Each structure stands twice: as structure tokens, then as C-alpha cells.
Amino acid sequence: HRRFIKTHTPLDGIPNDPTVTYICVGRDPRDVALSMDHHIDNMDFGAFLEAREQAAAIDGIELGAVHRQPPRPDGERDRFWQWVDDETPSTQIGSSLRRTVEHLQTFRDAADDLDVVHLHYDDMKADLDGQMRKLAARLGIDVEEHRWPRLVQAATFESMRSRADTTVPDGGRSHWIEPAAFFSRGTSGQWRDLLDAG
């Protein structure tokens, strides 16, 4: 059985192994900003920090203090621009435009030395079947033709939302106030409604 690990860790935080295929999925950073804003509203930060400490303790790592984030503005539009303007380095916990771009860059930088597959969220939304078939071919996974429709259906946004208790990352209810809310809308271009509104 193939083993896989799903993480939001940049590639420079993961062991480099030439026998591993690294799959990086990118998304329009403006949509990332809105998605993160929604996640923050739905996240149990106490549970997140506790899990972080437990994970570090496995390797005997003592974590320093968490970087203090500036207060979140009340308005969604103001929070968006705070996310864009945040210059905190990617070595600190959090999400921002800078961290998102630096995260993606770690995979670009390693593409000459490691087996890196780059996918885009919009391509998967537009043609999930085709993207899954290309990925299977790249990984050398043979799938019987009759199994494809069921596999593709299981990977849709709607299907994953319907199984939120088992599909959300980071432990389900222990990290998320409402697991199904992790899957907000799953559409691209939501930022247009926000930025064109004012």
C-alpha cells in the first residue's frame, strides 16, 4: 500500500527524499486569504497550540513563544488587506500573502532535485477526473476504468464536505468548532465580491 502524508508544511520543513513524489497544490492567493479568514473564525486555537506542542515533543523540540499576531480588524475587507500587508516571515506561525508565496516557492526551488508535481486548485475544480487521471499516470498507479467515477465522486468538494468528520485535517472536532464549516464554498474568485464591493 502506498503511504502518503498530507501537510500544509512548506517543502523546506519536510525531509527531502529522492524516492518520494511531492505534490503541491496551489490556489489563487486572494482566495487563500478568504479561506484562511473563514478557517480562523472556525478554529479552536487552544487545541491547535496543544497539538503543536505534542508534535514537537515527539522529537524533543522545545518551542518558543508563539509570535503575537496583530488584532484582527472587524471587517472582512480590512482583514483581507491585513493578510496582504503582513510581512511576518514564513518561519512564524500564521498565514499571509508573503507566507503563501514563500510556501509555493519552496516547491519551485526543489523541482530540479526532487520529484515535484504542481497542481492548481482551479484545474481540479474544472476537470477533477482529468487531473486525477494525470496524477495517477504520473505516480504509476493503474486504476481499473470502472472504478474512476466512484473515485472522482469521492474526491469532490461536496462529497468531502458530506464526510467532514473524517475528511477535515487536524483531528476533526478537536481543532474545528464545526468540521463541515471547514468546507465553506470551495469556489474561486470569491475575492471579487469582497474587493469590488467598496
Side-chain angles (χ1 to χ4, degrees):
H1 184 275
R2 289 175 179 263
R3 293 170 54 190
F4 66 91
I5 297 170
K6 190 243 186 220
T7 179
H8 283 94
T9 305
L11 188 56
D12 58 6
I14 305 170
N16 291 345
D17 185 334
T19 67
V20 169
T21 299
Y22 298 86
I23 302 169
C24 176
V25 180
R27 188 176 186 188
D28 185 318
R30 295 165 294 190
D31 287 315
V32 171
L34 298 188
S35 180
M36 283 305 303
D37 188 54
H38 181 78
H39 287 330
I40 289 168
D41 287 340
N42 190 37
M43 185 181 284
D44 181 335
F45 275 100
F48 169 79
L49 293 174
E50 183 179 329
R52 177 178 175 260
E53 288 178 16
Q54 290 173 355
I58 292 170
D59 291 327
I61 298 170
E62 286 190 38
L63 297 172
V66 175
H67 173 74
R68 285 185 69 102
Q69 297 290 322
R72 285 179 80 212
D74 289 334
E76 187 179 23
R77 189 181 175 105
D78 290 336
R79 290 194 301 271
F80 175 89
W81 288 113
Q82 181 183 59
W83 185 90
V84 167
D85 294 334
D86 185 350
E87 283 295 318
T88 306
S90 56
T91 54
Q92 300 288 333
I93 290 177
S95 177
S96 66
L97 176 60
R98 175 180 175 172
R99 291 179 181 111
T100 300
V101 171
E102 289 177 356
H103 181 125
L104 295 172
Q105 191 62 46
T106 63
F107 288 87
R108 293 271 179 219
D109 291 345
D112 290 338
D113 301 317
L114 296 171
D115 185 14
V116 178
V117 177
H118 297 276
L119 300 175
H120 196 284
Y121 184 85
D122 288 348
D123 294 337
M124 293 190 299
K125 287 289 288 184
D127 181 18
L128 183 58
D129 182 274
Q131 292 293 303
M132 288 176 66
R133 287 174 185 268
K134 284 181 189 176
L135 183 58
R138 173 78 181 263
L139 297 174
I141 301 172
D142 292 322
V143 178
E144 295 173 8
E145 187 60 34
H146 74 276
R147 296 184 67 199
W148 275 111
R150 212 165 148 208
L151 292 171
V152 172
Q153 175 56 35
T156 64
F157 185 86
E158 295 75 17
S159 176
M160 293 179 71
R161 177 192 281 150
S162 73
R163 298 175 288 120
D165 283 334
T166 58
T167 57
V168 297
D170 299 327
R173 288 199 179 275
S174 65
H175 287 191
W176 304 104
I177 296 166
E178 177 49 57
F182 176 86
F183 300 98
S184 178
R185 286 193 273 174
T187 58
S188 296
Q190 296 176 41
W191 55 269
R192 288 187 183 94
D193 294 337
L194 178 69
L195 298 184
D196 291 347

